[in-house]
Amino acid sequence: MSLQMNQSLSVDCAVFGFDGKVLKVLLIERRYWKPDGRLDRLKLPGAMILENETLPEAAYRVLKEATGLENVYLRQLEIFSDPQRVSGEELAWINRYHGIRTERVVTVSYYALVKLDPHTVAFTTAAGAQWVEVESIQHLAMDHKQILAAALSSLCREMLQSPVAFELLPRKFTIRQLQDLYAAVLGIEIDNRNFRKKILSSGFLTPTREKEHGVAHKPAQYYTFNRSAYKRAVREKLRLGFINNWKY
Amino acid sequence: MSLQMNQSLSVDCAVFGFDGKVLKVLLIERRYWKPDGRLDRLKLPGAMILENETLPEAAYRVLKEATGLENVYLRQLEIFSDPQRVSGEELAWINRYHGIRTERVVTVSYYALVKLDPHTVAFTTAAGAQWVEVESIQHLAMDHKQILAAALSSLCREMLQSPVAFELLPRKFTIRQLQDLYAAVLGIEIDNRNFRKKILSSGFLTPTREKEHGVAHKPAQYYTFNRSAYKRAVREKLRLGFINNWKY
């Protein structure tokens, strides 16, 4: 038993990345996995929290270790506190792996969004992690499939309500890339022309002078996200609500 | 040390009620309080979670014990995980009170909204709890003042965005009561005529045939909250968002 480690509380992070075609999540192989297949091999990055850190600190620590990144878009999701969420062999694995003796672990789940640039991909791959297409995942260790589902559903909701999509794209992107991202995450087909019209009329995209090069089709223009235009619009929108516009 | 009780995790609940004039919160006296005043006497209802329950189950258990109520409007707030949030004499109090030996406690905070009907007031008073005007509270045990502040700020935000106010009012209420509630929680003055016009035009209030009786002024009409009209409007509003109305 480590005095440093809390025996009851962990954090688990679903780290999403977009490779231009599909939505991926970062998975790590768990150590002491039984090769007879009685335990699922892959899991989300996570850790028991340390006694001297807050939950967000623990989550950022996990992210740093898994991705090498420090300023990551990170949001807390649900707390998974079912007393049986890890039990039997899974619980035995946790106790063995951490050298602790606990009867239950409550986990606070997070989701993170990272840009899949070559540096980050190289770091994660060197660390033995892998980027797996979310759609293809059938099983994960413990209740991590359920945590992933919660993270994905939160990402879908967030992408419809706020501009988190840009956390997954390079700083300069084409409208087609943005559309492909929405289509991949939401699992829908999106009408090109309508999407283009809507997103441009939002005023949230600033055209750059750059265009794609080395592509077979007509080179598309690169845009950047205009965060200050977005913030202005949000301030405007905040005045709306259940009861609004009454004179104070 | 109890095998039943988790040593690391607690829940704390800010239970709000409205007496028609001011916003109140339910406080309990803590046992083993030192009369020399070195520890604050009053705290929010809370408990260490049991090993066989989820966090929401623990929160509902605390609420049932504190108010006698089962179907309470309850929402999770932040997790307070500062390693130093209870320390020194406060930590010693927790260990003594629960007969445990922990070095830190992470608490998940909740806020609840109850109707201050005579039955509920009688139950809480008989249980030794007290309804205290939120505005008047200077200190609370541990970091409960901070938890209360988070709960209050969440309540303000919720009241502007969703119809939670009706959880604090009797089923039938006057528009004046609703306005007084908004004014009390938000700490603002509200223009009568404008509020009345806005709230009636929302379509969310259904007039009843009843009016106040035994009042000195002109008796006001009672209304009920039309939850289905509200839900319809929300479904409509959900179609709006960051990017909306494109054709799938």
Side-chain angles (χ1 to χ4, degrees):
Chain A
M1 169 180 166
S2 158
L3 279 173
Q4 292 279 305
M5 185 182 288
N6 189 289
Q7 309 242 337
S8 303
L9 264 169
S10 65
V11 291
D12 286 299
C13 302
V15 186
F16 292 114
F18 178 63
D19 72 356
K21 292 258 180 278
V22 298
L23 184 71
K24 296 189 163 180
V25 69
L26 188 67
L27 297 180
I28 59 176
E29 287 197 24
R30 64 170 159 185
R31 278 177 273 182
Y32 311 134
W33 166 71
K34 295 192 178 180
D36 64 7
R38 275 188 293 157
L39 290 178
D40 284 302
R41 192 170 51 94
L42 293 172
K43 66 187 284 293
L44 300 172
M48 305 300 291
I49 72 166
L50 302 179
E51 287 295 24
N52 64 355
E53 68 187 353
T54 65
L55 284 157
E57 282 166 359
Y60 279 112
R61 172 170 59 85
V62 164
L63 277 174
K64 177 80 192 297
E65 284 166 13
T67 66
L69 300 172
E70 296 207 336
N71 295 312
V72 174
Y73 179 94
L74 179 74
R75 288 294 177 273
Q76 191 206 300
L77 298 167
E78 305 153 49
I79 309 174
F80 289 80
S81 63
D82 181 342
Q84 299 301 315
R85 63 170 285 273
V86 283
S87 55
E89 292 205 25
E90 295 282 9
L91 187 64
W93 177 82
I94 284 186
N95 281 324
R96 198 166 58 244
Y97 179 66
H98 293 293
I100 58 174
R101 201 171 159 178
T102 187
E103 289 185 36
R104 65 100 64 100
V105 179
V106 171
T107 200
V108 179
S109 63
Y110 291 81
Y111 83 99
L113 304 179
V114 305
K115 298 179 199 299
L116 282 190
D117 54 56
H119 183 268
T120 301
V121 171
F123 184 98
T124 50
T125 310
Q130 45 196 284
W131 291 96
V132 181
E133 183 176 354
V134 171
E135 276 289 307
S136 74
I137 296 170
Q138 300 292 326
H139 300 281
L140 289 175
M142 298 170 275
D143 58 353
H144 287 196
K145 184 81 199 303
Q146 202 182 331
I147 295 175
L148 176 59
L152 185 60
S153 124
S154 186
L155 175 61
C156 287
R157 203 167 51 242
E158 281 296 303
M159 273 187 49
L160 289 169
Q161 288 172 0
S162 73
V164 295
F166 304 105
E167 304 289 338
L168 291 164
L169 290 176
R171 198 177 71 83
K172 294 176 185 179
F173 50 84
T174 65
I175 290 182
R176 184 65 201 219
Q177 284 177 306
L178 182 61
Q179 179 184 332
D180 285 348
L181 171 57
Y182 269 92
V185 173
L186 302 176
I188 55 174
E189 288 192 27
I190 297 171
D191 178 78
N192 289 350
R193 191 172 302 192
N194 204 20
F195 182 84
R196 189 179 180 82
K197 203 175 77 183
K198 286 283 173 192
I199 193 72
L200 286 178
S201 72
S202 73
F204 300 150
L205 297 194
T206 306
T208 70
R209 290 177 180 189
E210 289 175 55
K211 290 194 172 189
E212 289 178 310
H213 45 260
V215 291
H217 55 80
K218 187 185 161 211
Q221 189 164 23
Y222 282 112
Y223 290 81
T224 58
F225 173 53
N226 187 339
R227 193 168 296 274
S228 47
Y230 176 72
K231 283 187 177 165
R232 274 195 304 278
V234 166
R235 276 196 296 274
E236 196 61 35
K237 202 177 158 186
L238 274 182
R239 296 185 204 157
L240 305 172
F242 172 62
I243 295 183
N244 55 62
N245 297 327
W246 77 64
K247 287 214 177 51
Y248 295 121
Chain B
M1 169 179 165
S2 160
L3 278 174
Q4 292 278 307
M5 185 181 289
N6 188 288
Q7 309 242 337
S8 303
L9 264 170
S10 65
V11 291
D12 286 298
C13 303
V15 187
F16 291 113
F18 178 63
D19 72 356
K21 293 257 179 277
V22 298
L23 183 71
K24 294 186 166 183
V25 68
L26 188 66
L27 297 180
I28 58 176
E29 287 197 23
R30 64 169 159 185
R31 276 178 275 182
Y32 311 134
W33 166 72
K34 295 193 177 178
D36 64 8
R38 275 188 293 157
L39 291 176
D40 284 301
R41 191 169 52 93
L42 292 172
K43 66 187 284 294
L44 300 172
M48 305 300 291
I49 71 166
L50 303 179
E51 287 296 24
N52 64 356
E53 68 187 353
T54 64
L55 283 157
E57 282 164 0
Y60 279 112
R61 172 170 61 84
V62 164
L63 277 174
K64 177 80 193 296
E65 284 166 13
T67 66
L69 299 172
E70 296 207 337
N71 295 312
V72 174
Y73 179 93
L74 181 73
R75 287 295 177 274
Q76 191 205 301
L77 298 167
E78 305 154 49
I79 310 174
F80 289 80
S81 65
D82 180 342
Q84 299 300 317
R85 61 171 287 273
V86 283
S87 56
E89 292 207 21
E90 294 283 11
L91 187 64
W93 178 82
I94 285 185
N95 282 323
R96 197 166 64 242
Y97 178 67
H98 293 295
I100 60 176
R101 200 170 157 178
T102 187
E103 289 185 38
R104 66 98 65 97
V105 180
V106 171
T107 200
V108 180
S109 62
Y110 291 82
Y111 83 98
L113 304 178
V114 305
K115 298 178 200 297
L116 282 190
D117 55 55
H119 182 268
T120 300
V121 172
F123 184 98
T124 49
T125 310
Q130 47 196 283
W131 292 96
V132 180
E133 182 174 356
V134 171
E135 276 288 305
S136 74
I137 296 170
Q138 301 291 327
H139 300 283
L140 288 176
M142 297 169 279
D143 58 353
H144 287 196
K145 183 79 200 302
Q146 203 182 331
I147 295 175
L148 175 60
L152 184 60
S153 124
S154 186
L155 175 61
C156 287
R157 204 168 48 243
E158 281 296 304
M159 273 186 51
L160 288 170
Q161 289 172 358
S162 73
V164 295
F166 305 106
E167 304 289 338
L168 291 164
L169 291 175
R171 198 178 70 82
K172 295 176 186 178
F173 50 85
T174 65
I175 290 182
R176 183 66 201 218
Q177 283 176 308
L178 182 62
Q179 179 185 333
D180 286 348
L181 171 57
Y182 269 92
V185 173
L186 301 177
I188 55 173
E189 287 191 28
I190 297 170
D191 177 78
N192 288 351
R193 191 172 300 192
N194 203 21
F195 183 84
R196 189 179 180 82
K197 203 175 79 182
K198 286 282 171 191
I199 193 74
L200 286 178
S201 72
S202 73
F204 300 150
L205 297 194
T206 307
T208 71
R209 290 177 181 190
E210 289 174 57
K211 290 193 172 190
E212 289 179 308
H213 46 261
V215 291
H217 54 81
K218 187 183 162 213
Q221 189 164 21
Y222 281 112
Y223 290 82
T224 59
F225 173 51
N226 187 339
R227 193 168 295 276
S228 47
Y230 175 72
K231 282 186 177 164
R232 274 196 304 278
V234 166
R235 276 197 297 274
E236 196 60 36
K237 201 178 160 187
L238 274 183
R239 293 183 208 160
L240 306 172
F242 172 61
I243 295 183
N244 54 63
N245 298 326
W246 76 64
K247 285 212 176 55
Y248 295 122

